[in-house]
Amino acid sequence: MRVVFPRPETDIDVRDRYAFDLLQEALEHTRKDYGDYVLVRSSGVINRLRSVLALNDANGEVNVINVPTSVSYEQALRPIRIPIDKGLLGYRLLLIRDKDQARFDSIRSLDQLRQLRAGLQENWTITDVWRQAGFKVLTSSEYEPLFSMLAYGRFDYFLRGVDEIMPEWQSHHEKLPSLKIEQSLLIYLPLPRYFFTGRTLEGEKLGQRIEAGLQRMRQNGRFEQLFQTYQTELLKGLKLQGRRVLRLENPNLPAETPLNDPSLWYSPLN
């Protein structure tokens, strides 16, 4: 079985390093039942929209992706409804310019935050949610330019997951020293990230294998061990418990989302 996962968008993009390792272990946990496999990255960078379309294409560049779910994704693709980051991506922090911290210190509500401009990438799940919630959004077709766009004042904040923001700030701080992690706010919305495969015969086989592997990892404790290994380091220094928490709904969350199974979820606030 040949499994092709998207290549990172840049050399310093480590957002899916955990997902790649989790996928590899899920495939390894099912080798006895499903046979050998080869796991590789795509030959070139592939954006979100192309990667989604590729899953149902026999000649597509990838055959598995990890993205935050939505109704449209679950209609078009085969979801594996095990949140690979245990819902952590739904806890959002802001990357801002250092001189603007005082503006965010005064924010006490989502309505106040709506007065400022967010920077996000086009075709991200969170971008649609943010727009539907009435926030001002400026987008880029690519991920990397958003950091310099923020530094140069094109928008006021770059909305990031708590498990994304620290390595992003560290990798951009030297080149863009005006950027900082905002210190007072934490925004939460349910935003589970799943592995998806295509709604094809081969996609279904691969989806069944990945799901079986993840379930075995949950049962033997390896899923939790790998999660803690990665996330403990990523959350270090963010001081999440002392922040003002702003909550909003996710109108694009499918009804099938397993919100009632506490074993699938993790809160960094507890």
Side-chain angles (χ1 to χ4, degrees):
M1 183 175 282
R2 180 176 172 82
V3 184
V4 187
F5 193 70
R7 177 178 296 277
E9 293 193 34
T10 69
D11 292 339
I12 58 174
D13 182 4
V14 298
R15 289 173 296 166
D16 66 2
R17 185 175 56 184
Y18 161 70
F20 186 85
D21 287 352
L22 183 66
L23 175 61
Q24 184 167 35
E25 293 217 20
L27 295 170
E28 191 63 34
H29 272 69
T30 52
R31 184 189 290 271
K32 182 178 179 180
D33 297 319
Y34 288 84
D36 291 337
Y37 67 92
V38 175
L39 174 61
V40 298
R41 296 276 192 170
S42 60
S43 58
V45 173
I46 175 171
N47 65 29
R48 175 72 58 83
L49 182 59
R50 275 176 52 206
S51 68
V52 169
L53 295 174
L55 294 188
N56 288 323
D57 182 350
N59 299 311
E61 299 121 299
V62 296
N63 58 6
V64 59
I65 60 175
N66 79 108
V67 294
T69 194
S70 70
V71 171
S72 61
Y73 282 167
E74 294 200 18
Q75 289 173 343
L77 306 173
R78 186 206 189 278
I80 300 167
R81 293 190 183 95
I82 300 173
I84 65 172
D85 61 359
K86 304 186 74 171
L88 202 56
L89 191 66
Y91 295 86
R92 315 294 292 195
L93 298 180
L94 311 179
L95 198 63
I96 65 170
R97 293 177 295 275
D98 183 68
K99 66 182 181 63
D100 290 340
Q101 179 61 58
R103 299 174 68 187
F104 291 90
D105 286 339
S106 64
I107 290 177
R108 295 292 187 276
S109 69
L110 292 173
D111 281 340
Q112 289 177 299
L113 188 59
R114 287 185 177 95
Q115 305 309 307
L116 303 179
R117 298 165 299 167
L120 290 165
Q121 187 169 339
E122 199 63 54
N123 299 317
W124 278 355
T125 307
I126 188 67
T127 304
D128 288 339
V129 173
W130 220 239
R131 282 174 169 153
Q132 289 181 56
F135 290 94
K136 301 174 184 177
V137 178
L138 190 148
T139 62
S140 167
S141 60
E142 298 180 5
Y143 162 72
E144 185 60 31
L146 287 160
F147 296 93
S148 56
M149 290 168 69
L150 172 61
Y152 298 140
R154 296 286 303 280
F155 47 81
D156 301 303
Y157 63 93
F158 186 9
L159 188 67
R160 312 304 302 130
V162 295
D163 55 346
E164 298 173 322
I165 197 166
M166 183 59 78
E168 289 177 332
W169 176 78
Q170 290 170 337
S171 62
H172 291 87
H173 178 65
E174 184 174 349
K175 182 180 178 182
L176 300 170
S178 66
L179 300 187
K180 71 170 290 183
I181 298 172
E182 198 280 327
Q183 297 295 303
S184 61
L185 298 175
L186 174 67
I187 299 156
Y188 174 72
L189 70 160
L191 193 69
R193 177 165 45 190
Y194 299 151
F195 287 123
F196 285 86
T197 58
R199 288 197 178 274
T200 63
L201 182 59
E202 291 304 314
E204 180 60 30
K205 289 179 181 178
L206 178 56
Q208 289 177 0
R209 177 172 186 165
I210 295 170
E211 187 164 2
L214 293 176
Q215 292 291 12
R216 289 177 188 177
M217 292 177 67
R218 294 185 67 227
Q219 291 167 6
N220 66 21
R222 181 55 184 157
F223 187 108
E224 183 67 22
Q225 183 182 36
L226 192 64
F227 173 80
Q228 292 294 342
T229 298
Y230 272 91
Q231 310 307 340
T232 299
E233 185 64 29
L234 291 173
L235 302 182
K236 189 181 297 182
L238 295 177
K239 301 178 181 177
L240 300 179
Q241 285 79 7
R243 294 171 176 267
R244 292 189 301 282
V245 181
L246 305 179
R247 300 176 185 271
L248 74 156
E249 299 298 319
N250 179 354
N252 297 333
L253 193 69
E256 298 83 357
T257 305
L259 296 173
N260 294 326
D261 183 352
S263 69
L264 291 172
W265 308 93
Y266 171 81
S267 171
L269 301 180
N270 294 334

